């Protein structure tokens, strides 16, 4: 009998949601939230299909993390399938909504949100799905220690490029600052993780 799923929502997630709802239009906010829910459902349903019990879900400003029961062990292939399920769900829904949008124009913003979230999560920056895909592929070719180092290095480089792009869009093109804020948040998380690992090794 599966255990009850424990939910944890961090203060950062609540603050980010409040800021986003206040700054964005109601339609855009609803489209992004729907895309996020569909993304996580893709992960969750794939885990269930693989027979892995989910016992905890932690929602932070950087996304959701699902804790699998100790008795459920996934192979690298199953982990890769589970990770890909989230972005692929968004991309599939983006395609379907865009096709349907030819008759119902109001579906185009929903399709755009699905497309943006799916592509964004494929970026190789921790803790996005793209970084997990990179880690698994590197671990299969080399070993976990090398996968950690490669993923950390790529995450820092990609995070810097994304932050620079966000600054350029915000200052030169008058775009929304959300990309810049998100990139800086991701980069800060990566650097914090690297520093914590170094501190543990130096003890």
């Amino acid at each position: 009998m599966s255990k009850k799923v424990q939910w944890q929502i961090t203060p950062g997630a609540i603050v980010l949601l409040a800021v986003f709802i206040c700054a964005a239009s109601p339609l855009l906010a609803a489209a992004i939230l729907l895309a996020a829910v569909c993304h996580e459902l893709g992960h969750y349903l794939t885990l269930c299909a693989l027979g892995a019990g989910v016992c905890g879900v932690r929602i932070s400003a950087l996304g959701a993390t699902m804790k699998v029961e100790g008795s459920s062990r996934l192979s690298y292939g199953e982990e890769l399938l589970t990770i890909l399920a989230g972005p692929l769900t968004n991309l599939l829904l983006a395609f379907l909504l865009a096709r349907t949008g030819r008759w119902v124009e109001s579906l185009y913003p929903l399709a755009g949100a699905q497309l943006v979230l799916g592509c964004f999560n494929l970026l190789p920056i921790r803790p996005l799905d793209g970084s997990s895909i990179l880690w698994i592929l590197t671990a299969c070719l080399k070993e976990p220690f090398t996968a950690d180092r490669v993923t950390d290095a790529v995450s820092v480089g990609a995070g810097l490029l994304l932050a620079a792009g966000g600054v350029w869009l915000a200052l030169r093109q008058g775009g929304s600052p959300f990309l810049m804020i998100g990139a800086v948040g991701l980069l800060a998380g990566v650097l914090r993780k690297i520093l914590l690992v170094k501190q543990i090794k130096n003890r």
Side-chain angles (χ1 to χ4, degrees), residues 46-177:
T46 303
L47 283 171
C48 292
L50 293 172
V54 177
C55 60
V57 178
R58 182 177 185 272
I59 301 176
S60 68
L62 298 178
T65 304
M66 298 183 190
K67 184 179 180 182
V68 178
E69 292 177 358
S71 58
S72 303
R73 296 183 63 94
L74 299 176
S75 65
Y76 279 157
E78 290 173 332
E79 284 189 30
L80 185 60
L81 180 62
T82 301
I83 293 165
L84 284 170
L88 289 181
T89 297
N90 292 133
L91 296 178
L92 176 60
L93 288 174
F95 173 78
L96 295 175
L97 288 169
R99 296 283 291 183
T100 310
R102 293 184 296 178
W103 297 283
V104 185
E105 284 193 17
S106 59
L107 293 180
Y108 278 126
L110 300 181
Q114 296 284 351
L115 179 62
V116 169
L117 189 64
C119 292
F120 184 77
N121 267 278
L122 289 174
L123 293 175
I125 307 173
R126 291 185 188 271
L128 301 179
D129 294 327
S131 69
S132 299
I133 294 171
L134 175 62
W135 189 94
I136 290 174
L137 295 177
T138 307
C140 289
L141 294 174
K142 298 293 185 179
E143 36 78 32
F145 178 73
T146 301
D148 279 334
R149 297 182 63 181
V150 170
T151 304
D152 286 341
V154 173
S155 293
V156 172
L160 288 172
L161 288 175
L162 187 64
V167 171
W168 182 78
L169 285 174
L171 298 180
R172 298 295 297 274
Q173 302 296 317
S176 170

Side-chain angles (χ1 to χ4, degrees), residues 1-2 7-8 18 29 45 62 65 99 106 159 167 170 179 186 202:
M1 187 175 181
S2 60
W7 292 80
Q8 179 186 3
L45 293 176
L62 298 178
T65 304
R99 296 283 291 183
S106 59
V167 171
L179 177 61
L186 288 172
N202 292 332

